[in-house]
């Protein structure tokens, strides 16, 4: 009857499903879904921007081939990004919603992968939601989920970082070689989207040294190399192969900072204005940057608050768990690598003054920061020495809180407690007694302080006897029948690693359905004597252990917990505010308004309307992106494209708002001619020189000439070393055509029969809307 009662306690968990049985997992999945939907809503308010149009244009002009995929974009190696952009452009044209969907999916995949990593890497605790929240909601990653040109690089890199770290942790814990395959594929996946993913390799190495070795710097590095050399051999071969292929195709982007002050300003910005405020919900204020993403511009007070929170967290976690110092050194080492790479490629340019305030440059640092926060606050999961890892030291262990299982209930008399079961003798009989309740087969897992078999309802030790009063312990439950672990869960044998670990290779540490939130100050033992667990499952009193040192006395613990909750609440509100302000900045898109207006104008334009090519507004595509800022290139993926010509009698242009306007030419004009009512008279076979009021340099120019001709013929205009021939028609007409050249005067020659031509209007410059 006791067995039936025990089984009935499991039934609600089975009925509720796997989500109801693990509240932490349910909360984590809810956070991931909220993050993906929220980021998609923010992104959908904006549109394509700057580099997005260039990537779309290149996709529209190219076939899907190896040459297009492996062509560097602004020195970036991103065949995966080019493939996705080409597919969207080929089938959907210049649309934005497919990119929003892809970025939202990427955010969800990143969240799921990071949750899996946390459950493998950290101890079972509800506090793992804290590092998950840092990664999912940090404002520093907003660009990666809203701007396609950033997201197509950064999201795959972040996913590769998480998968690679998870694979290496799995290899450290189990020594299974399939984790090495996952590790290599993860790094390769990141490199196919962003060459900066090469930083994943040193990250994996430093993380392994920081978390799974002991001793000083030299000893830790040597131990890391010696124990897990297959990982480093594989990653080294992969890195050298990629660098050889990339450096052979790329141009050097290295620059030299102009001064030490420039370097100091950069470091001040990247730490004080971007990273530190961003980790605690900042920067709270943004500086607009046209159609691109805004730049971080936190208030001075916010910067100081961010530093106080971050420093307090570091000091508190190091005081609580000494090994946390290695975690923060890991974060500092990775940040140093990123800052060095940025300083070598961004300083010494026109953008060096704001390089440190661009959040996308440190989006990958958020992943490392979230991992470090999780390890420092929650603690590293136990790793068997047989697998090559280290056990947490006694100083790092948290005192285990004894759990008391309820007494069994008599089914026939549910209102009263079943009589106690006699305790087992010290010497077990040859034939084991019948178990008091049935159990489900389970694999062997480890929990802090004890290694045991996990069952659907894990039996808890009975309460300790009161040593002061001498009262007898409560009812004792007979031990469960031993359950053999599944052979498939055992790691592959490794002669160098010693005997196989007790826990399964891929099994996550056992989790309780209702975890307890620990505070920064460690809990004191429940009684004056520690308890020991015997093979029979009973708790026996042990020698008294001194309580773990806390940051504050016991009487201040409640105040500390309240303060922590307030800090998290304020950080959450700050994150919501920062995200909302970013959303407002991202929603202002000149490119979207320009394209929408062009679509409306083209739908109502009369047949035969032709256009002279000209750059789109600089607010849509910067002039630095020439020639992809030309309208003829910009509208390659447009549904109804304007018709562009190089020569015509009457042409139109698109103004800065996207409206169709009658064209003219703005630039240098000829001096007035000597003939009254004619200007310059040009007859057949004669060449007339006409000085310009302002010289023109050698360039691609548009010429507009208005003339009155006596007959049809042909004319030739010369500008320095450039010539252009155009037809002449009888009567009053004008002609637009292109010419390449420069000088301080033009020469006009007319041929073809008896033709006399008068002109006093010749302009050389760029097409523009005709003033009304």
């Amino acid at each position: 009857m006791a067995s039936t009662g025990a089984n009935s306690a499991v039934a609600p968990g089975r009925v509720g499903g796997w989500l109801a049985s693990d509240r932490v997992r349910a909360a984590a999945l809810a956070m991931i879904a909220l993050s993906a939907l929220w980021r998609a809503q923010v992104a959908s308010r904006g549109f394509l921007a700057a580099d997005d149009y260039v990537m779309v244009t290149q996709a529209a002009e190219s076939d899907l081939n190896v040459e297009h995929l492996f062509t560097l974009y602004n020195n970036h190696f991103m065949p995966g990004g080019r493939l996705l952009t080409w597919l969207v452009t080929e089938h959907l044209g210049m649309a934005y919603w497919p990119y929003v969907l892809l970025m939202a999916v990427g955010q969800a995949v990143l969240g799921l992968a990071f949750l899996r990593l946390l459950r493998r890497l950290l101890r079972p605790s509800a506090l793992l939601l804290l590092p998950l929240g840092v990664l999912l909601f940090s404002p520093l990653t907003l660009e990666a989920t809203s701007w396609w040109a950033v997201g197509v690089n950064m999201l795959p890199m972040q996913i590769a970082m998480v998968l690679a770290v998870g694979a290496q942790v799995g290899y450290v814990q189990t020594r299974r070689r399939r984790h090495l395959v996952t590790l290599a594929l993860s790094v390769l996946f990141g490199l196919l989207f962003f060459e900066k993913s090469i930083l994943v390799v040193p990250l994996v190495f430093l993380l392994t040294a920081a978390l799974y070795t002991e001793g000083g710097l030299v000893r830790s590095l040597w131990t890391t190399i010696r124990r897990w050399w297959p990982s480093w051999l594989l990653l080294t071969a992969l890195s050298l192969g990629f660098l050889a292929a990339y450096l052979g195709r790329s141009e050097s982007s290295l620059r030299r900072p102009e001064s030490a002050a420039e370097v100091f300003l950069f470091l001040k910005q990247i730490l004080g204005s971007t990273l530190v405020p961003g980790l605690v919900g900042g920067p709270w204020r943004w500086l607009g940057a046209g159609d691109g993403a805004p730049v971080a511009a936190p208030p001075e007070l916010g910067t100081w608050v961010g530093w106080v929170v971050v420093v307090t967290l570091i000091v508190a976690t190091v005081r609580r768990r000494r090994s946390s110092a290695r975690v923060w050194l890991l974060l500092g080492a990775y940040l140093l690598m990123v800052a060095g790479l940025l300083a070598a490629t961004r300083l010494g340019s026109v953008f060096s003054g704001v390089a440190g305030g661009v959040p996308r440059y440190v989006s990958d640092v958020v992943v490392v920061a979230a991992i470090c926060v999780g390890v420092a606050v929650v603690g590293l999961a136990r790793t068997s020495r047989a697998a090559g890892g280290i056990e947490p030291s006694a100083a790092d262990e948290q005192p285990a809180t004894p759990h008391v299982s309820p007494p069994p209930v008599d089914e026939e008399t549910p209102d009263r407690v079943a009589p106690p079961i006699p305790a087992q003798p010290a010497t077990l009989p040859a034939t084991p007694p019948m178990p008091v309740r049935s159990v489900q087969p389970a694999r062997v897992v480890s929990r802090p302080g004890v290694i045991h078999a996990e069952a659907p309802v894990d039996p808890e030790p009975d309460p300790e006897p009161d040593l002061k009063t001498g009262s007898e312990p409560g009812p004792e439950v007979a031990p469960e029948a031993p359950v053999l672990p599944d052979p498939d869960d055992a790691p592959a044998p490794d002669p160098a690693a010693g005997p196989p670990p007790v826990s399964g290779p891929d099994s996550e540490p056992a989790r309780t359905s209702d975890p307890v939130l620990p505070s920064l100050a460690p809990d004191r033992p429940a009684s004056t004597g520690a308890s020991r667990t015997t093979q029979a499952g009973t708790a026996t009193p042990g020698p008294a252990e001194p309580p773990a040192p806390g940051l504050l006395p016991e009487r201040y613990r409640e105040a500390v917990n309240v303060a922590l909750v307030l800090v998290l609440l304020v950080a959450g509100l700050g994150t919501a505010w920062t995200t909302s302000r970013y959303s407002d900045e991202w929603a202002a898109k000149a490119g979207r308004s320009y394209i929408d207006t062009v679509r409306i104008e083209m739908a109502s334009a009369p047949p035969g309307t032709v256009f002279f090519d000209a750059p789109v507004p600089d607010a849509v595509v910067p002039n630095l992106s020439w020639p992809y800022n030309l309208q003829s290139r910009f509208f390659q993926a447009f549904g109804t494209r304007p018709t562009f010509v190089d020569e015509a009698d009457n042409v139109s242009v698109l103004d800065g708002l996207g409206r169709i306007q009658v064209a003219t030419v703005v630039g240098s004009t000829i001096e007035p001619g000597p003939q009254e009512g004619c200007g310059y008279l040009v007859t057949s076979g004669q060449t007339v020189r006409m000085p310009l009021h302002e010289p023109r340099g050698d360039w691609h120019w548009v010429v507009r000439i208005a003339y009155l001709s006596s007959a049809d013929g042909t004319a030739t205009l010369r500008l320095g070393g450039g010539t252009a021939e155009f037809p002449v028609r009888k009567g009053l007409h004008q002609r637009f055509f292109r010419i390449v050249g420069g000088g301080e005067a033009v020469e006009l020659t007319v041929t073809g029969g008896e033709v006399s031509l008068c002109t006093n209007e010749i302009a050389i410059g760029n097409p523009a809307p005709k003033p009304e």
Side-chain angles (χ1 to χ4, degrees):
M1 287 189 293
S3 174
T4 306
N7 287 338
S8 64
V10 184
R14 294 176 178 172
V15 174
W18 64 279
L19 278 178
S21 64
D22 193 330
R23 299 180 185 178
V24 175
R25 176 165 48 195
L29 294 178
M31 291 172 60
I32 294 171
L34 174 62
S35 171
L37 293 175
W38 192 10
R39 293 296 178 92
Q41 187 272 333
V42 171
S44 63
R45 296 188 63 192
F47 197 68
L48 300 172
D51 292 307
D52 294 341
Y53 296 116
V54 179
M55 293 167 57
V56 169
T57 298
Q58 292 178 349
E61 294 177 345
S62 304
D63 296 327
L64 184 60
N65 50 40
V66 174
E67 181 181 0
H68 171 67
L69 294 179
F70 286 87
T71 299
L72 301 186
Y73 175 75
N74 283 350
N75 230 22
H76 293 314
F77 181 79
M78 44 182 298
R82 284 193 176 275
L83 174 61
L84 294 178
T85 305
W86 190 92
L87 292 174
V88 173
T89 303
E90 176 70 15
H91 298 286
L92 299 172
M94 191 180 290
Y96 179 56
W97 67 264
Y99 302 115
V100 174
L101 179 61
L102 287 172
M103 289 183 289
V105 171
Q107 176 76 355
V109 171
L110 174 63
L112 293 172
F114 194 66
L115 173 61
R116 182 176 180 270
L117 170 62
L118 292 178
R119 292 170 71 90
R120 176 190 292 274
L121 181 68
L122 306 180
R123 296 175 180 176
S125 172
L127 281 180
L128 64 81
L129 298 178
L130 177 60
L132 181 64
V134 170
L135 178 63
L136 292 179
F137 298 103
S138 174
L140 297 177
T141 61
L142 282 168
E143 287 181 81
T145 55
S146 56
W147 190 355
W148 174 245
V150 178
V152 74
N153 293 147
M154 191 52 64
L155 275 173
M157 178 182 176
Q158 291 176 324
I159 295 173
M161 294 173 72
V162 173
L163 294 178
V165 170
Q168 177 63 18
V169 171
Y171 180 66
V172 169
Q173 292 176 344
T174 69
R175 290 301 184 99
R176 280 196 164 186
R177 290 186 173 85
R178 65 182 178 87
H179 293 296
L180 295 178
V181 177
T182 304
L183 176 62
L185 292 178
S186 301
V187 176
L188 183 62
F189 171 77
L191 292 175
L192 289 176
F193 286 87
F194 198 13
E195 73 282 353
K196 188 183 178 183
S197 298
I198 196 70
L199 293 182
V200 177
V201 175
L203 169 64
V204 170
F205 178 82
L206 293 175
L207 183 140
T208 305
L211 301 187
Y212 295 105
T213 63
E214 293 177 328
L217 176 62
V218 176
R219 179 184 175 187
S220 295
L221 296 180
W222 171 245
T223 302
T224 303
I225 296 173
R226 179 176 55 84
R227 285 184 179 174
W228 301 287
W229 61 266
S231 294
W232 320 135
L233 181 62
L234 181 65
L235 293 180
T236 300
L238 184 61
S239 301
L240 292 178
F242 171 78
L243 290 175
Y246 172 71
L247 296 178
R249 302 173 62 91
S250 66
E251 299 178 0
S252 177
S253 299
L254 298 179
R255 294 183 174 92
R256 179 176 297 178
E258 296 179 357
S259 63
E262 184 182 18
V263 177
F264 177 78
L265 176 62
F266 167 73
L267 295 176
K268 180 181 177 182
Q269 286 179 339
I270 199 172
L271 286 174
S273 300
T274 307
L275 184 62
V276 171
L279 291 177
V280 296
W284 309 287
R285 189 173 64 189
W286 299 96
L287 180 64
D291 264 18
V295 179
E300 186 175 356
L301 177 61
T303 300
W304 284 107
V305 170
W307 275 106
V308 169
V309 173
V310 171
V311 171
T312 301
L313 176 64
I314 294 175
V315 173
T317 52
V318 172
R319 286 284 304 276
R320 177 173 179 255
R321 185 181 290 115
R322 291 192 303 270
S323 59
S324 297
R326 300 169 68 95
V327 173
W328 300 119
L329 289 176
L330 167 66
L331 176 59
Y334 187 81
L335 178 60
L336 186 63
M337 287 192 297
V338 172
L341 180 62
L342 291 174
T345 56
R346 294 294 182 269
L347 299 187
S349 67
V350 295
F351 302 107
S352 61
V354 295
V358 180
R360 65 177 176 270
Y361 291 157
V362 292
S363 294
D364 52 324
V365 180
V366 178
V367 178
V368 183
I371 294 174
C372 294
V373 168
V375 176
V377 173
V378 182
L380 200 63
R382 297 177 65 90
T383 305
S384 173
R385 291 184 182 273
I390 61 170
E391 297 278 357
S393 61
D396 293 340
E397 289 289 342
Q398 298 301 307
T401 304
H403 297 274
V404 181
S405 59
V409 179
D410 190 348
E411 241 184 354
E412 298 180 359
T413 57
D415 295 335
R416 62 186 181 89
V417 177
I421 301 175
Q424 296 295 325
T427 303
L428 296 177
T431 303
M434 293 297 293
V436 295
R437 62 180 179 90
S438 61
V439 295
Q440 305 255 344
R443 61 182 180 271
V444 176
V445 299
S446 61
R447 287 184 179 175
V450 60
I451 299 177
H452 62 286
E454 182 181 3
V457 175
D458 200 18
E460 305 290 352
D462 293 324
E464 298 183 66
D466 193 338
L467 299 180
K468 294 182 179 180
T469 60
S471 59
E472 293 294 327
E476 190 174 24
V477 181
E480 297 179 356
V483 181
L484 295 177
D486 191 344
D488 294 335
D489 288 339
D494 191 339
V502 178
S503 58
D506 298 321
S507 62
E508 297 174 350
R511 290 166 173 80
T512 58
S513 61
D514 189 11
V516 180
L517 291 173
S519 64
L520 285 180
D523 294 334
R524 298 179 183 274
S527 61
T528 57
S531 61
R532 295 184 294 110
T533 304
T534 64
Q535 285 186 338
T538 60
T540 60
E545 294 180 359
L551 295 179
L552 293 172
E554 181 77 18
R555 61 181 179 273
Y556 296 133
R557 185 181 304 171
E558 184 176 353
V560 171
N561 290 338
V562 172
L564 290 176
V565 172
L566 291 177
V567 169
L568 292 177
L569 179 61
V570 171
L573 293 176
T575 300
W577 172 265
T578 301
T579 304
S580 176
R581 299 286 71 78
Y582 177 93
S583 179
D584 293 340
E585 292 287 347
W586 181 250
K589 284 288 173 287
R592 175 176 52 197
S593 301
Y594 180 78
I595 291 174
D596 290 345
T597 303
V598 171
R599 283 197 173 106
I600 295 173
E601 291 283 307
M602 288 300 300
S604 59
T609 302
V610 294
F611 298 84
F612 247 120
D613 198 5
V616 300
D618 192 59
V620 179
V621 180
N623 289 330
L624 292 175
S625 298
W626 188 90
Y628 295 101
N629 65 328
L630 296 176
Q631 294 171 2
S632 58
R633 313 290 291 272
F634 180 83
F635 292 112
Q636 280 288 338
F638 211 65
T640 304
R641 294 183 61 236
T643 301
F644 294 97
V645 296
D646 290 331
E647 183 178 355
D649 288 345
N650 298 287
V651 294
S652 300
V653 292
L654 297 169
D655 65 10
L657 299 177
R659 298 174 300 183
I660 298 177
Q661 303 282 359
V662 177
T664 187
V665 171
V666 176
S668 182
T669 59
I670 60 174
E671 299 288 349
Q675 300 290 332
E676 184 70 25
C678 178
Y680 294 92
L681 177 61
V682 186
T683 58
S684 294
Q686 181 185 9
T687 298
V688 176
R689 187 175 187 273
M690 308 172 191
L692 297 171
H693 82 278
E694 181 182 355
R696 298 274 86 177
D698 286 333
W699 191 241
H700 299 260
W701 302 111
V702 174
V703 178
R704 175 187 175 269
I705 177 172
Y707 63 89
L708 177 62
S709 177
S710 62
D712 295 342
T714 303
T716 301
L717 186 140
R718 294 179 181 84
L719 176 63
T723 60
E725 188 177 275
F726 61 95
V728 173
R729 293 189 298 157
K730 181 179 180 180
L732 182 62
H733 297 282
Q734 67 175 356
R735 190 72 176 178
F736 294 84
F737 53 88
R738 293 190 177 276
I739 192 171
V740 180
E744 57 184 15
V746 297
E747 295 178 348
L748 185 63
T749 303
V750 177
T751 57
E754 296 295 328
V755 179
S756 296
L757 182 147
C758 290
T759 182
N760 209 29
E761 294 184 22
I762 297 180
I764 300 176
N766 295 310
K770 184 177 182 180
E772 298 180 357

